Amino acid sequence: MKYKELKQEEERYVMATYGRFPIALDHGEGARLWDVEGKSYIDMTSGIGVNSLGYGNKELIAAVKDQMEKLMHVSNLYTTAPMVQVAKSLVLFSGLQGGKVFFANSGAEANEGAIKLARKYSYDKYGEGRSKIITLKNSFHGRTVTTLKATGQDKFHQYFFPFTEGFDYAEAGNLEDVKAKADDTACAVMMELIQGEGGVLPLDKEFVKAVEAFCREKDLLLIIDEVQTGIGRTGSLFCFQQYGIRPDVVTMAKGLGGGLPIGAVLAASNCCDVLTPGTHATTFGGSPTVCAAAGVVLSKVNNPVFLEKVKSKGEYIRQKLLAMNSPAILGVRGMGLMVGVIVEDGKHSEYVSRLNEKGVLALTAGKNAVRLLPPLTITIEEIDEALAVMREVFGEGGKAV
Ligand SMILES: Cc1ncc(COP(=O)(O)O)c(C=O)c1O
């Protein structure tokens, strides 16, 4: 079916919850995608940070196929080797020795798990009344009724009343504001180290370290939402490793399954036994099939040479974008292969549409960022192809096109 027919059927049968681009994708290889009309694109989105090893990765596919033939799913009433192996790798590779993992199916679910963990940690130790979680203004933590409320943006706090109570929002970079909001009723601080959906905004290192010290002093759990920044995206397995902090809880999803749905809550040794039988569960979390995929992703990504390449490719993109000297590009932000190209407020969607038309898929973030989250395996040739299109779209050397 061609795009037009597919779109008609979509409009008839699929809820219109997404502002989709006018493209129907069909297949992919490496960092390249083809639509149903046969047009090809360089993918600078990787399914919003999911397809970490690109499309058609032979090893990933073989591992998933083998596992599906052997055993596709069992409930969490039984143990499976792929699930245990991924948990072990996450604990060992993160440096949170003595920690443990809970598997979920998405980023929002991982954050829900972390929120429950933080509240129960506090309840077990201090009893009722200490349940507030401080998040940051402009953050994004998911779309469930609780994680919408955890998200520090008013536009997400509409329609679905009543939301879960017990969240307050501090200004990013403002330690005094965090301290003021984290009164005696608080049990945790939760933040992204680079606000992704909010506009590719990295937090200041000194601020993050100061929040960590404050959390230790007050026995607040420090939850780092690495749903978008984790699994090699910023050039280290987890972004917190470049910030030099030791979180109590790390949440992840997106890139971990390389394209299959998975989420995880990684808790350090001080709080990893808080969630006990009957207090948290999921039917699909940690299935052997998605864990087989995650095992391959972790074995590829947690490699210093691979991670160094993520950093250098990100740096290459940033330098080339700045060297365009385009009047449309007001700045470039981010770390590793999480890049935000800053344009005039409100113009980001227009640029993304033009990039799409010319064969480069890109995302928007916040009010003025064109966000690039290519597969971590993207080659320099694929990057150069995408940059040539960006040069046309953003305009070079003072000539906006
Ligand atoms: C930082 C962050 N947390 C949570 C989520 C929610 O993840 P999911 O869409 O898998 O529920 C996202 C998704 O974009 C995210 O970027």
Side-chain angles (χ1 to χ4, degrees):
M1 239 190 259
K2 296 290 183 220
Y3 175 74
K4 230 171 143 185
E5 297 157 78
L6 267 174
K7 194 67 195 171
Q8 276 168 1
E9 300 240 310
E10 180 186 319
E11 280 167 6
R12 186 151 177 208
Y13 295 114
V14 182
M15 284 194 203
T17 59
Y18 302 100
R20 293 191 212 272
F21 296 115
I23 297 169
L25 291 168
D26 185 66
H27 63 282
E29 194 182 330
R32 201 177 295 273
L33 286 164
W34 283 265
D35 69 17
V36 291
E37 255 89 33
K39 178 175 170 179
S40 89
Y41 304 82
I42 298 291
D43 179 24
M44 302 300 273
T45 74
S46 60
I48 321 191
V50 167
N51 302 300
S52 40
L53 303 184
Y55 301 96
N57 183 287
K58 299 266 183 298
E59 212 175 311
L60 180 65
I61 293 166
V64 171
K65 264 190 184 166
D66 287 352
Q67 186 56 50
M68 284 173 95
E69 275 171 16
K70 205 169 152 198
L71 183 67
M72 202 186 308
H73 170 81
V74 289
S75 73
N76 273 305
L77 300 176
Y78 308 97
T79 300
T80 63
M83 182 265 294
V84 175
Q85 187 53 50
V86 172
K88 181 176 172 185
S89 298
L90 288 173
V91 169
L92 298 183
F93 300 166
S94 66
L96 296 181
Q97 258 66 7
K100 291 180 187 171
V101 175
F102 175 87
F103 287 108
N105 310 286
S106 68
E109 258 188 78
N111 286 337
E112 286 266 353
I115 290 163
K116 283 177 71 177
L117 187 155
R119 289 185 169 173
K120 186 165 181 297
Y121 171 86
S122 190
Y123 179 87
D124 289 348
K125 248 176 134 171
Y126 303 100
E128 274 186 55
R130 203 173 172 276
S131 58
K132 183 161 75 170
I133 296 177
I134 314 305
T135 64
L136 297 182
K137 289 182 182 162
N138 202 41
S139 57
F140 184 79
H141 297 294
R143 295 276 188 171
T144 60
V145 171
T146 298
T147 55
L148 275 176
K149 200 66 203 293
T151 292
Q153 301 185 53
D154 289 343
K155 69 176 183 199
F156 290 107
H157 306 159
Q158 316 238 9
Y159 318 119
F160 311 114
F161 305 103
F163 287 97
T164 309
E165 288 174 18
F167 292 95
D168 206 350
Y169 317 102
E171 218 178 286
N174 185 341
L175 180 65
E176 291 316 309
D177 200 26
V178 173
K179 287 184 175 175
K181 304 279 163 57
D183 58 18
D184 291 347
T185 67
C187 66
V189 174
M190 175 159 96
M191 55 196 191
E192 305 153 88
L193 294 173
I194 304 176
Q195 295 187 327
E197 302 298 312
V200 193
L201 293 152
L203 294 188
D204 175 67
K205 279 196 179 154
E206 293 315 305
F207 167 73
V208 172
K209 284 189 170 227
V211 171
E212 180 194 29
F214 174 70
C215 285
R216 295 278 173 278
E217 183 195 322
K218 298 280 180 190
D219 197 16
L220 305 172
L221 291 189
L222 177 60
I223 305 169
I224 301 297
D225 178 344
E226 294 249 20
V227 168
Q228 195 160 144
T229 54
I231 318 301
R233 176 57 54 190
T234 68
S236 48
L237 186 64
F238 293 104
C239 190
F240 80 77
Q241 293 164 320
Q242 289 183 69
Y243 273 77
I245 57 164
R246 191 181 160 81
D248 298 299
V249 180
V250 182
T251 58
M252 67 202 82
K254 289 191 184 285
L256 179 57
L260 292 187
I262 186 170
V265 183
L266 166 60
S269 56
N270 58 322
C271 57
C272 64
D273 294 320
V274 165
L275 295 174
T276 48
T279 58
H280 201 46
T282 162
T283 297
F284 286 110
S287 100
T289 304
V290 295
C291 285
V296 174
V297 169
L298 286 171
S299 73
K300 294 278 158 212
V301 174
N302 190 52
N303 168 332
V305 178
F306 185 99
L307 291 168
E308 203 42 59
K309 278 195 194 152
V310 171
K311 275 192 191 158
S312 63
K313 286 186 282 191
E315 203 40 45
Y316 181 79
I317 294 173
R318 273 184 285 279
Q319 290 310 325
K320 290 280 177 186
L321 282 165
L322 289 172
M324 285 177 199
N325 200 22
S326 161
I329 298 177
L330 307 181
V332 183
R333 291 198 289 251
M335 283 167 75
L337 286 171
M338 183 168 181
V339 178
V341 187
I342 311 311
V343 296
E344 200 182 311
D345 280 9
K347 286 277 176 79
H348 50 352
S349 306
E350 212 180 292
Y351 282 113
V352 167
S353 295
R354 281 158 63 187
L355 287 167
N356 287 351
E357 277 162 28
K358 289 182 180 289
V360 169
L361 300 186
L363 299 157
T364 59
K367 60 182 188 325
N368 60 8
V370 172
R371 181 172 38 149
L372 310 176
L373 298 172
L376 305 180
T377 49
I378 191 169
T379 63
I380 288 290
E381 291 72 30
E382 288 162 334
I383 290 174
D384 280 340
E385 221 178 291
L387 284 166
V389 171
M390 288 187 220
R391 201 168 286 121
E392 262 183 69
V393 168
F394 291 121
E396 199 177 6
K399 303 181 269 134
V401 181

